[in-house]
Amino acid sequence: MTVEAPAKLNLSLRVIRRRDDGFHEIDSVMVTLPGLHDRITITGADEDRFECDEPGVPTDGSNLAMKALAVFREETGEMDPLAVKLEKRIPHGAGLGGGSSDAAAMLRALDTHFGTKLGVDALVELAARIGSDIPFFLGPPVGRVLGRGEILEPGPELPELQVVLLKPSFGVSTPDAYRRWKDAPAVADVDFAPQVLDWGELVNDLERPVFGKHLFLAEMREWLRARPEVAGALMSGSGSTVFAVLEDPGKAGEVISAAKEELDPTLWAWSGKTGSGVFQAPEGMPE
């Protein structure tokens, strides 16, 4: 059984407040990147095995995909041993939701493999137990995410957007970004105002604390915004990926080449299209 786990972008991310439970209340429009995905394969085995083709990715119970397996077993009682293979294409610590998407994909794969037919509402409930953003990856490609990330609502109807993603060699700590969100000072010469486009706006409240610690990300975003091919640019999630929405889909290669030449030759880069459409909450999905 093989399933794909797509990356995501936050087209908008508003942090509302820090909750009493330690999580932060957010309001975010998220969209998948169908062309950028991890892949999970599960097969029956004599004993549990988990392997990943990317060094440094944990293969123990701290991995979100393995947490998904544990929660699924607790819920269903299905204890047959499995061999799990995770093929990583989504960078780690990038703000692209790779780990969360892996967990959601694992739940979908297990539900199919064991024929448990839990349904979307039950899978979403299991996903919310594991992590904040995981429920999003069990729905359509566009959605508005609320609460700590477990509540899904209809998002704006979006066209396919041609995007370029750039990520430096370092990652960003999500807990650290949220911890410094409220009191982060402004960064000189960086405009944090929403960027209004035809279909909506680009805005991310975590840019201020992250840019204050990783100035290169601010420089990269401003460099992208100054390009004539770019309609808008934003950091995704807590970073360290910065993405650009292109005016001309045919210019992606030029933007990437220029970024590597002018900013950093070691940048990880990807170009492709976002998912499109409008979110329709499945029956039983919590609101």
Side-chain angles (χ1 to χ4, degrees):
M1 180 72 210
T2 299
V3 293
E4 294 179 347
K8 61 81 176 171
L9 291 177
N10 298 84
L11 299 181
S12 68
L13 174 55
R14 290 294 197 183
V15 183
I16 310 302
R17 64 182 179 91
R18 187 180 186 275
R19 301 171 5 160
D20 293 339
D21 60 8
F23 290 100
H24 284 77
E25 197 87 15
I26 66 168
D27 185 344
S28 180
V29 174
M30 292 168 58
V31 61
T32 59
L33 298 171
L36 176 60
H37 54 77
D38 294 342
R39 184 176 288 114
I40 290 180
T41 301
I42 61 172
T43 56
D46 295 331
E47 61 181 9
D48 282 338
R49 297 192 303 274
F50 181 59
E51 61 179 281
C52 180
D53 64 352
E54 181 173 312
V57 173
T59 56
D60 58 14
S62 66
N63 187 289
L64 287 177
M66 297 309 289
K67 288 185 178 182
L69 174 60
V71 168
F72 180 86
R73 283 174 164 168
E74 179 183 342
E75 179 71 17
T76 64
E78 296 285 356
M79 304 301 293
D80 290 353
L82 295 170
V84 180
K85 180 180 180 181
L86 172 59
E87 300 172 77
K88 289 293 293 181
R89 299 295 178 268
I90 305 171
H92 179 68
L96 299 176
S100 295
S101 188
D102 292 344
M106 175 67 91
L107 290 175
R108 288 189 285 109
L110 292 168
D111 193 37
T112 300
H113 178 79
F114 287 108
T116 41
K117 299 181 180 178
L118 294 178
V120 172
D121 53 337
L123 291 177
V124 166
E125 193 276 327
L126 293 182
R129 293 190 211 170
I130 306 164
S132 296
D133 289 341
I134 300 170
F136 166 74
F137 292 99
L138 293 167
V142 180
R144 185 182 179 200
V145 180
L146 303 169
R148 60 177 173 84
E150 85 285 13
I151 301 173
L152 305 178
E153 288 190 354
E157 186 169 2
L158 296 176
E160 286 185 336
L161 304 174
Q162 183 71 39
V163 294
V164 165
L165 279 56
L166 301 175
K167 180 191 176 299
S169 58
F170 61 85
V172 171
S173 167
T174 298
D176 181 66
Y178 276 101
R179 186 163 47 247
R180 294 183 300 104
W181 152 71
K182 190 172 184 179
D183 300 319
V187 180
D189 301 321
V190 176
D191 183 4
F192 293 103
Q195 303 166 55
V196 180
L197 305 180
D198 292 343
W199 44 264
E201 65 179 26
L202 297 174
V203 63
N204 185 344
D205 287 346
L206 292 182
E207 285 186 331
R208 189 182 297 263
V210 172
F211 287 179
K213 189 172 182 178
H214 302 284
L215 188 58
F216 178 69
L217 298 182
E219 295 170 352
M220 189 159 59
R221 195 202 72 170
E222 294 306 288
W223 181 89
L224 284 168
R225 290 189 66 183
R227 301 279 307 183
E229 308 94 338
V230 172
L234 196 73
M235 184 180 75
S236 182
S238 59
S240 60
T241 298
V242 175
F243 68 93
V245 178
L246 300 186
E247 295 275 14
D248 183 349
K251 299 294 185 178
E254 293 181 24
V255 173
I256 291 172
S257 294
K260 288 178 176 287
E261 180 179 346
E262 299 178 26
L263 295 175
D264 181 353
T266 69
L267 285 172
W268 173 87
W270 182 87
S271 66
K273 293 182 178 180
T274 65
S276 62
V278 61
F279 180 89
Q280 297 293 332
E283 182 178 354
M285 181 169 283
E287 298 187 0

